[in-house]
């Protein structure tokens, strides 16, 4: 019994120390932001029911979306290659094939009407600076603006893959891939890095990446970090709330509010976990087996001790 | 020359040449341990096992680790964590063991302090133990440099800066230690060498010394009772195992050690698989960047108390306080003036001293991590002063203690 009492004392002091240096210290060092469940409450709700057919005409026509964006599922390639696009706009434009499932509908509507506002980067484009966001505002095609926007959103939703077909990699590439490289998944901002037979071709590719990154750095003020290990360095909660609204965690940051849905955010995080915490499933499985083994070991050790000590007292 | 006869068995053949029966007798079956001890006396064995875990996992990591500032981070986080089968397991075992070993060292040290096991002939056990603490600290610090993450780089920067000795501005020493003006390739190379060669060798040597130092005084017991080991051993050998106050190292003591090790390993592997984050700082998963100082720079938890003794003071005084904290535990056997090697709860004022020291070090540890602002820096300052005060008071408290 005395041993159990000593064990209790040791445990209490150990846990107190742990509590102070881990949960408590971290709560004081880092700002904690609660998730808003990707509700985007500051943006107005969609009031009109969109029509995908009319939306198609607008996206291809008056909306001018395809003047800057690729829509590969509709057979429309990008007007320029990624490097040239970045050199014109500062960053490549995402392919809109899956925009309807990746982004929140309310957010898409707000984005079309006023990109800087929806993306929460108005601090970079205030009247005093004289700069305007590179994605043109849609001022309307002559009809009811809200109706036209709702139509375009409906069209984008109609061409996108179903939610359950959207893979973590697709979600990441559409939502984050134009700004963030991910070396451990072989991803550069201009696409997957192919394997080259010739050194010369590889160097040519690398130079394209560097040109792209130079343009992006100029646009963002700094090069967005490679996200390979961010699941370990920032953790799920931080990344999720940061994506939801970067300004909450880093005030004045150049990273836009990307406007993804809660489901897409989960997939993006899963992709980050695939890169930086690849063996998590194996770890859990092996962990359970090792625990069983070690408990059995302790049990046998106890029986051995008992059999030896019964002669001792 | 010794006389050799034709061997009757393999055992006999080896025994004639290596004397394994004698070794076994001296090291195990007739190495006497007091019976009246609790599981805290198994902490030494737990430490030995944890060191073995560190050594084995370290050897596996070493097969893929690359000590180069351009590839170190990826060799750990990509090659070992993703490419190598079970590389993640070895890394997590290594990282968690490096943290847990300090928890057990602190328990082991405070056990020694509580039971007064550092005096009356046990001074060398204590001193060799403190040498182990210092070499383990150096081992942990050098290992922390190797993944070449943000914390490796900046902790390396901050700690090596201490060697400029504050107002003395001995920048030459700092550059000499780093092999460069800032932590860079030469720095990583030499800490790699220290971590995988020189320090492990030193640790193994000092563990030998520590074990050797235990031999003559024997370990203490729960009541601080002075035992006549020869008399008690004779009783044991005559078959009166129940009446004897000693037990044999093997298998008596070892069977209990092994059980405690079993319980410890349940705890350890739980941490390895399900709760490893505390041992692997998130900030160190950002690659080293000399242009980007992290918002909070702090050492691993086991160095926090001494870091906090440095921090609340001005540079020079802080360094002196830090130097004091590093050596003062070595002097414990000589600062404790009481002849009593008995549990602290029977030692009057010393009992208070013990619990005050324990709580104070936990407070220092907590404040060492928290940002040094407002109430935290005040608490830190008070705790640092209490730490120094307690050590100054120790000789006086113990001098007046009555002989038990
Ligand atoms: C990590 C390295 C260490 C190892 C492997 C180790 C191992 C051991 C072992 C096997 C014992 C005998 C069994 C026991 O009482 O637990 C022991 C005893 C002891 N150790 Fe350590 N030890 C280490 C570090 C330390 C440190 C850092 C100190 C404190 C400065 C220390 C102080 C002592 C003392 C005072 C005893 C005697 C306990 C008694 O007589 O009751 N050791 N150590």
């Amino acid at each position: 019994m005395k041993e159990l009492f000593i064990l209790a004392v040791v445990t209490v002091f150990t846990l107190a120390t742990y509590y102070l240096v881990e949960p408590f210290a971290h709560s004081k060092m880092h700002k904690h932001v609660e998730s808003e469940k990707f509700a985007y409450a500051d943006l107005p709700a969609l009031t009109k029911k969109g029509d995908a057919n009319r939306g198609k005409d607008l996206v291809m026509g008056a909306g001018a979306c395809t003047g800057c964006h690729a829509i590969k599922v509709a057979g429309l390639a990008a007007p320029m290659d990624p490097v040239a696009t970045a050199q014109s706009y500062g960053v490549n434009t995402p392919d809109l094939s899956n925009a309807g499932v990746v982004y929140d509908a309310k957010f898409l509507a707000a984005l079309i009407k006023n990109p800087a506002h929806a993306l929460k980067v108005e601090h970079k484009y205030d009247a005093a600076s004289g700069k305007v966001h590179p994605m043109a505002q849609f001022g309307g095609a002559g009809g009811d603006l809200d109706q036209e926007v709702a139509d375009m959103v409906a069209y984008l939703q109609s061409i996108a893959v179903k939610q359950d077909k959207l893979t973590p990699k697709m979600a990441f590439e559409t939502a984050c891939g134009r700004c963030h490289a991910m070396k451990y998944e072989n991803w550069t901002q201009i696409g997957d890095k192919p394997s080259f037979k010739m050194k010369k071709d590889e160097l040519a590719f690398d130079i394209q990446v560097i040109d792209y990154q130079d343009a992006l750095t100029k646009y963002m003020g700094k090069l967005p970090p490679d996200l390979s290990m961010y699941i370990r360095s920032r953790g799920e909660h931080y990344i999720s709330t940061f994506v939801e609204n970067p300004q909450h965690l880093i005030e004045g940051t150049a990273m836009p509010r990307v406007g993804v849905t809660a489901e897409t955010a989960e997939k993006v995080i899963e992709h980050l976990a695939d890169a930086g915490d690849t063996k998590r499933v194996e770890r859990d499985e092996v962990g359970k087996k090792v625990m069983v083994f070690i408990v059995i070991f302790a049990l046998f050790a106890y029986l051995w001790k008992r059999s030896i000590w019964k002669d001792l007292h | 020359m010794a006389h050799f006869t034709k061997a009757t068995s393999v055992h006999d053949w080896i025994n004639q040449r290596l004397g394994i029966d004698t070794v076994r007798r001296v090291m195990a079956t007739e190495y006497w341990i007091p019976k009246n001890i609790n599981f805290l006396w198994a902490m030494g064995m737990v430490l030995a096992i944890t060191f073995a875990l560190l050594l084995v996992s370290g050897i596996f990591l070493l097969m893929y680790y690359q000590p180069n500032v351009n590839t170190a981070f990826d060799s750990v986080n990509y090659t070992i964590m993703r490419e190598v089968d079970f590389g993640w397991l070895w890394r997590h075992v290594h990282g968690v063991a490096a943290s847990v070993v300090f928890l057990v060292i602190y328990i082991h040290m405070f056990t020694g302090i509580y039971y007064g096991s550092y005096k009356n002939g046990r001074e060398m056990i204590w001193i060799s133990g403190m040498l182990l603490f210092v070499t383990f600290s150096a081992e942990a610090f050098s290992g922390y440099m190797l993944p070449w993450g943000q914390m490796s780089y900046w902790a390396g920067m901050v700690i090596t800066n201490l060697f400029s000795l504050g107002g003395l501005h001995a920048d030459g020493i700092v550059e000499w230690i780093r092999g460069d003006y800032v932590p860079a390739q030469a720095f990583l190379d030499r800490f790699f060498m220290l971590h995988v060669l020189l320090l492990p060798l030193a640790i193994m040597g000092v563990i030998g010394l520590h074990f050797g130092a235990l031999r003559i005084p024997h370990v203490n017991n729960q009541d601080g009772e002075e035992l006549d080991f020869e008399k008690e051993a004779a009783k044991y050998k005559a078959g009166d195992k129940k009446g004897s106050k000693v037990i044999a190292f093997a298998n008596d003591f070892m069977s209990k050690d092994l059980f405690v090790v079993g319980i410890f390993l349940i705890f350890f592997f739980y941490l390895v698989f399900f709760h490893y984050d505390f041992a692997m700082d998130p900030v160190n998963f950002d690659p080293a960047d000399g242009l980007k100082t992290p918002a909070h720079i702090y050492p691993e938890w086991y160095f926090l108390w001494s870091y906090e003794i440095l921090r609340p003071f001005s540079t020079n005084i802080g360094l002196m306080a830090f130097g004091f904290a590093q050596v003062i535990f070595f002097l414990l056997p000589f600062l404790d003036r009481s002849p009593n090697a008995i549990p602290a709860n029977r030692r009057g004022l010393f009992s208070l001293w013990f619990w005050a020291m324990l709580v104070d070090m936990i407070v220092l540890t907590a404040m060492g991590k928290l940002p040094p602002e407002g109430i935290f820096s005040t608490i830190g300052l008070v705790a640092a002063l209490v730490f120094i005060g307690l050590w100054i008071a120790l000789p006086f408290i113990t001098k007046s203690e009555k002989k038990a």
Side-chain angles (χ1 to χ4, degrees), chain A residues 2-3 6 18 21-22 29 183-185 229 232-234 275 278-279 282-283 287 308-309 312, chain B residues 35 38-39 74 78 82 88 92 222 242 251-252 255-256 266 273 275-276 282 285-286 296 369:
Chain A
K2 192 163 175 189
E3 304 231 6
I6 298 172
Y18 169 77
V21 296
E22 282 291 311
M29 281 192 292
K183 194 162 64 166
Y184 292 180
E185 289 290 320
M229 287 307 292
R232 292 292 297 261
S233 71
R234 298 297 189 283
T278 322
K279 301 295 176 74
E282 188 183 26
R283 184 174 62 228
I308 287 191
W309 279 65
L312 299 177
Chain B
K35 191 186 282 173
N38 57 50
F39 77 88
D74 292 339
Y78 185 76
R82 287 187 56 155
W88 58 269
H92 281 193
Q222 271 197 98
K242 283 194 167 56
N251 294 333
D252 304 346
S255 67
K256 185 167 174 179
I266 294 178
F273 291 107
H275 208 100
Y276 45 83
F285 287 94
D286 278 344
H296 306 277
K369 184 134 177 192

Side-chain angles (χ1 to χ4, degrees), chain A residues 98 101 160-168 170-171 267:
Chain A
N98 292 316
V101 58
V161 295
K162 292 276 158 305
Q163 179 69 49
D164 57 329
K165 290 274 169 3
L166 183 78
T167 64
M170 282 155 75
K267 286 189 179 159

Side-chain angles (χ1 to χ4, degrees), chain B residues 11 21 63 76 97 144 196 220 236 246-247 249 253 284 314 375:
Chain B
H11 176 92
D21 282 352
M63 289 189 230
V76 175
Y144 202 50
V196 306
N220 201 357
Y236 181 100
V246 299
I247 54 177
F249 176 79
F253 183 56
N284 220 23
S314 63
I375 184 77

Side-chain angles (χ1 to χ4, degrees), chain B residues 40-45 47-48 101 105 108-109 112 117-118 122 125-126 129-130 132-133 136 207 210-211 214 218-221 253:
Chain B
L40 291 172
W41 271 266
M43 290 305 126
M45 186 64 92
L47 283 171
V101 85
I105 286 181
H108 189 61
M109 276 175 75
S117 310
Y118 48 82
R122 297 199 179 89
I125 309 181
W126 180 261
M130 276 309 293
L132 278 173
F133 179 74
F136 259 89
I207 288 180
H210 195 58
F211 286 7
L214 284 162
H218 289 92
V219 297
N220 201 357
N221 56 70
F253 183 56

